[in-house]
Amino acid sequence: MKDLLAALCLVAVIEGLLLFAWPLAWRAMAAQMLQLPPAALRRFGGLVLAAGLVGLWWARH
């Protein structure tokens, strides 16, 4: 549970850093994502999820 909380906090730090350092670029990216169809967003989310799981498995083994 401690590792999960640490991982969630790290995600918040990274998201906050992106918003703090490049707010206009983040806004432009979000606007572009709104134009994508839901299927494309779902595929992208699946790819990011898979990459995260592979990275987590690699880091733990």
Side-chain angles (χ1 to χ4, degrees):
M1 191 65 161
K2 205 176 199 183
D3 288 340
L4 177 61
L5 182 58
L8 291 174
C9 290
L10 185 57
V11 168
V13 167
I14 292 169
E15 286 290 328
L17 178 63
L18 293 174
L19 282 167
F20 180 77
W22 301 286
L24 296 178
W26 190 92
R27 183 181 287 170
M29 180 194 65
Q32 287 178 346
M33 289 179 69
L34 288 172
Q35 303 301 318
L36 293 174
L41 291 173
R42 188 168 285 119
R43 279 191 304 270
F44 180 70
L47 287 172
V48 171
L49 176 65
L53 287 172
V54 168
L56 181 60
W57 179 84
W58 181 74
R60 291 288 189 173
H61 287 90

